[in-house]
């Protein structure tokens, strides 16, 4: 007797196999049978004739740890077919992994939820961020122990990036924390120090650390950023090929040519790693240096016309939603867009200036090439979402998976099957989640039923918070988490501890 049988489906098993027709029998939250189940007994039968079923999507690159208490989180993910997420990427995350995961256990997440140990906040437990300095030898050992502890408490890997105080670490410290990840058998997940001018060197840096320690290494949102630097892309691909020959290497990518990050990301690390950016902006000489730094960023990457800001806290704004920095500067009566950016940052209560979308940062054909690679993992890099602020985001937080799937489905079913793999079993394998990301007997019954005729991402930069079409229903452990266009919020979910 099955708890539920789904019948009449085209099955994409998540492993990239040729799609096949069949039924799925679910028992005790798991897939109990796959094949032709005829009239087998069950408590509930769902006839999904003409639809496609795939494993629940595993989004390995998110920042949902920053909005864990948002009760719409599970539904937000379910509406996109996402059943498992990993937070704590890019070196930003909770200071105390154990406490964070304990808090997550108490929530009805309606999701499977895992976290990476984030280097910056963890190192700040040893070297106070405000001191803005490298760690001593003894402190490096203490940071090693803190990272080791976070990994023991269940973090699935270690992340590092240019945010928070990460960039204060010297090579000895980085080598030491990378060793902690290696010893725990968990990956080192790197948002490279630079993704533009020094993007190749920053990739080599990650490889060097992996070579010296033997750690599994994963590059977050692989790209070359900035029109000026796009010509480095081919060399980056060659570098990745040679890295893959000698390292256990992976990468993720989102299918958009624009990025999203804090507006303060344009400011060089030396002015902000210690968390004293606002203080510096209040000092005329330091302010001038920061403005100069922002101009340098414009020249290196892209100008204010291609930077979309949300800046809700600026009352001079006439509209809502995204607006480019150049036009906002005009509205605010500020001549220099770099000065305008500085004002947006200092008037933001959190001192980051809020989220900004950087259009045309990547070359669209590079994005397509990366998404098309067989070793790609598709992930959203979605940033927090809170009620009422939905428009302050990037379409990737709503459309990533449907975008890749719908583009692939228009090519061919085998192509579609490969796209499914890149967001299911390939993602699961990266973190050793063997019972997830595949439709096989014994695996968790996390499933997504799709209508391929309808499947379409609908999120755009101008209106990012629009869910995709064509997601019919979603199951977590055999229970509906999305049905008839509604996310169901009563499902417990699971905290993943590595
Ligand atoms: Zn990220």
């Amino acid at each position: 007797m099955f708890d539920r049988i789904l019948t009449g489906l085209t099955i994409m098993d998540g492993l990239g196999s040729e799609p096949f027709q069949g039924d799925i029998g679910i028992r005790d939250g798991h897939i109990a049978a796959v094949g032709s189940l005829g009239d087998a007994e069950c408590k509930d039968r769902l006839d999904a004739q003409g639809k496609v079923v795939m494993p629940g999507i595993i989004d390995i690159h998110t920042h949902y740890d920053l909005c864990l208490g948002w009760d719409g989180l599970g539904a937000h993910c379910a509406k996109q077919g996402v059943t498992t997420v990993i937070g704590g990427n890019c070196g930003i995350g909770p200071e105390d992994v154990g406490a964070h995961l304990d808090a997550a256990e108490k929530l009805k997440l309606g999701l499977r939820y895992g976290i990476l140990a984030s280097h910056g906040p963890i190192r700040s437990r040893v070297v106070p961020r405000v001191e803005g300095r490298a760690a001593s030898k003894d402190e490096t050992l203490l940071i090693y122990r803190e990272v080791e502890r976070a990994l023991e408490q269940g973090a699935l890997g270690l992340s590092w990036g240019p945010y928070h105080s990460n960039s204060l670490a010297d090579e000895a410290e980085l080598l030491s924390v990378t060793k902690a990840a290696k010893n725990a058998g968990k990956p080192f997940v790197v948002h490279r120090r630079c993704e533009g001018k020094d993007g190749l060197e920053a990739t080599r840096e990650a490889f060097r650390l992996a070579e010296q320690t033997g750690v599994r290494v994963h590059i977050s949102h692989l790209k070359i950023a900035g029109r000026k630097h796009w010509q480095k892309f081919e060399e980056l691909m060659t570098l990745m090929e040679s890295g893959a020959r000698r390292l256990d290497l992976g990468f993720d990518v989102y299918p958009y040519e624009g990025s999203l990050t804090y507006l303060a990301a344009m400011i060089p690390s030396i002015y902000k790693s210690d968390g004293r950016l606002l203080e510096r902006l209040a000092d005329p000489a330091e302010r001038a240096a920061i403005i100069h730094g922002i101009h340098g960023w414009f020249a290196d990457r892209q100008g204010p016309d291609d930077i979309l800001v949300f800046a809700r806290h600026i009352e001079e704004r006439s509209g809502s939603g995204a607006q480019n920095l150049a036009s906002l500067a005009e509205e605010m009566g500020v001549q220099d867009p770099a000065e305008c950016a500085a004002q947006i940052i200092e008037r933001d209560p959190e001192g980051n200036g809020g989220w900004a979308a950087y259009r045309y940062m990547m070359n669209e054909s590079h994005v397509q090439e990366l998404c098309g690679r067989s070793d790609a993992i598709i992930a959203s890099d979605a940033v927090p979402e809170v009620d009422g602020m939905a428009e302050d985001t990037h379409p990737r937080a709503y459309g990533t998976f449907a975008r890749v799937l719908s583009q692939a489905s228009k090519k061919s079913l085998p192509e579609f099957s490969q796209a499914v793999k890149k967001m299911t079993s390939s993602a699961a394998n990266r973190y050793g989640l063997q019972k997830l990301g595949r439709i096989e007997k014994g695996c968790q019954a996390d499933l997504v039923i799709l209508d391929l005729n309808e499947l379409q991402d609908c999120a755009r930069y101008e209106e990012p918070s629009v869910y995709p079409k064509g997601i019919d229903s979603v199951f977590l452990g055999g229970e509906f988490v999305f049905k008839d266009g509604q996310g169901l919020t009563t499902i417990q979910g699971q905290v993943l501890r590595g």
Side-chain angles (χ1 to χ4, degrees):
M1 170 87 122
F2 295 107
D3 295 330
R4 179 171 276 138
I5 293 182
L6 313 178
T7 70
L9 290 153
T10 302
I11 299 175
M12 304 281 168
D13 65 3
L15 299 162
S17 318
E18 195 68 28
F20 57 98
Q21 293 298 311
D23 313 320
I24 297 174
I26 298 168
R27 192 185 302 126
D28 297 331
H30 291 77
I31 297 170
V34 183
S36 182
L37 299 181
D39 292 331
E41 257 188 276
C42 64
K43 294 178 198 155
D44 182 67
R45 187 179 297 271
L46 183 84
D47 185 359
Q49 214 54 248
K51 306 266 169 67
V52 162
V53 65
M54 62 178 275
I57 295 165
I58 300 170
D59 191 353
I60 63 165
H61 188 143
T62 80
H63 295 280
Y64 290 139
D65 51 289
L66 300 172
C67 65
L68 196 65
W70 175 40
D71 61 8
L73 178 60
H76 168 75
C77 294
K79 286 175 186 174
Q80 304 179 55
V82 173
T83 50
T84 299
V85 303
I86 299 179
N89 276 276
C90 302
I92 334 169
E95 232 185 77
D96 186 336
V97 164
H100 180 82
L101 290 178
D102 290 345
E105 293 275 9
K106 297 197 178 84
L107 300 167
K108 279 207 166 85
L109 286 172
L111 268 177
R112 297 188 201 279
Y113 176 80
I115 187 96
L116 303 179
S118 308
H119 174 242
I122 291 176
R123 95 184 283 281
S124 295
R125 292 166 68 118
V126 177
V127 182
R129 183 177 179 190
V130 58
E131 291 180 18
R133 60 177 175 86
S136 70
K137 241 183 165 170
D138 289 349
E139 286 164 338
T140 298
L141 186 62
L142 289 175
I143 294 169
Y144 173 92
R145 295 223 177 96
E146 287 289 329
V147 170
E148 190 180 47
R149 196 159 74 97
L151 293 166
E152 276 168 9
Q153 285 171 336
L156 300 174
L158 170 69
S159 80
W160 187 78
Y163 300 106
H164 203 273
S165 56
N166 292 269
S167 43
L168 297 170
D170 60 16
E171 195 147 345
E173 181 183 332
L174 281 180
L175 203 58
S176 162
V177 292
T178 315
K179 262 185 210 146
K182 163 67 184 169
N183 292 343
K186 294 176 182 178
F188 177 50
V189 181
V190 187
H191 174 159
R192 291 164 299 159
R193 203 185 277 280
C194 176
E195 298 180 315
K197 180 164 157 274
D198 299 320
L200 296 173
E201 179 42 36
T203 311
R204 287 189 197 100
E205 178 186 30
F207 288 4
R208 268 200 310 277
L209 290 164
E211 247 150 27
Q212 288 176 71
T213 56
V215 75
R216 204 152 91 222
V217 61
H218 182 91
I219 307 289
S220 296
H221 39 57
L222 186 63
K223 61 169 84 98
I224 286 291
R227 203 176 293 267
K228 251 170 115 173
H229 310 302
W230 286 348
Q231 90 279 3
K232 297 180 206 289
F233 183 77
E234 252 167 60
E235 206 179 331
L236 176 68
M237 292 298 93
T238 311
L239 196 58
M240 290 295 289
E241 301 284 335
S242 79
R245 281 196 288 276
R246 52 187 208 280
L247 302 167
D248 186 347
L249 172 66
F251 72 91
D252 60 70
V253 57
Y254 54 82
Y256 297 89
E257 94 319 304
S259 72
L260 179 91
T261 186
Y262 298 124
L263 193 59
M266 296 189 295
I267 296 174
S269 290
I270 45 161
Y271 300 114
K272 62 185 184 192
S273 300
D274 59 3
R276 294 173 52 223
L277 176 61
L278 292 182
E279 238 172 87
R280 292 198 175 91
L281 280 170
D283 175 281
E286 295 219 79
R287 185 184 188 90
I290 291 168
I291 301 282
H292 183 74
I294 298 175
H295 277 291
W297 196 94
F298 289 158
D300 182 60
R301 290 285 180 88
Q302 61 198 98
D305 286 335
D306 289 332
I307 300 170
L308 298 179
V309 292
F310 302 99
R312 274 169 181 269
H313 57 289
I314 300 297
E315 60 275 8
E316 293 95 314
R317 285 199 62 187
S318 56
S320 61
Q323 176 176 11
N324 78 53
L325 183 61
S327 80
L328 181 56
E330 240 178 77
E331 270 186 33
M332 289 168 66
V334 180
Q335 224 174 17
D336 177 2
E339 168 59 30
C340 172
Q343 289 186 20
I344 297 170
I345 291 163
E346 66 190 341
R347 286 164 63 179
D348 169 23
E350 292 183 11
N352 289 311
W355 301 114
Y358 298 86
R359 294 297 311 273
Y360 317 113
M361 182 177 266
M362 283 76 84
N363 179 319
E364 181 63 39
S365 72
H366 297 165
V367 174
Q368 290 291 336
E369 184 177 331
L370 286 170
C371 291
R373 280 179 65 113
S374 61
D375 53 351
I377 293 177
I378 308 296
S380 71
D381 194 6
V383 294
E385 180 77 40
V386 282
D387 283 328
M389 300 279 280
E391 60 264 44
D392 293 5
T393 190
H394 184 289
R396 71 190 185 200
Y398 288 77
T400 287
F401 302 102
R403 187 175 179 85
V404 170
L405 291 173
S406 71
Q407 284 174 3
S409 73
K410 287 180 184 105
K411 293 180 189 155
S412 69
L413 272 190
E415 192 101 21
F416 182 76
S417 176
Q418 288 302 318
V420 168
K421 181 182 174 195
K422 293 173 200 175
M423 52 188 80
T424 56
S425 72
S426 295
N429 290 345
R430 213 56 210 143
Y431 287 99
L433 306 169
Q434 296 310 329
K435 296 274 182 219
L436 301 180
R438 59 203 77 209
I439 297 181
E440 276 182 341
K441 195 175 166 185
C443 288
Q444 298 278 5
D446 296 356
L447 301 164
V448 183
I449 297 181
L450 300 165
D451 183 343
L452 283 198
N453 298 319
E454 290 285 317
L455 187 63
Q456 188 64 53
D457 61 303
C458 304
R460 300 292 175 259
Y461 288 96
E462 300 72 26
E463 206 184 336
S465 51
V466 187
Y467 290 103
K469 288 192 291 193
I471 311 276
D472 193 279
S473 37
V474 182
F475 301 87
L476 182 77
E479 302 282 335
F480 278 108
V481 279
F482 179 68
K483 188 185 180 184
D484 303 328
Q486 292 299 319
L488 307 176
T489 52
T490 52
I491 306 293
Q492 187 62 43
Q494 183 198 5
V495 170
L496 301 169
R497 291 179 195 257

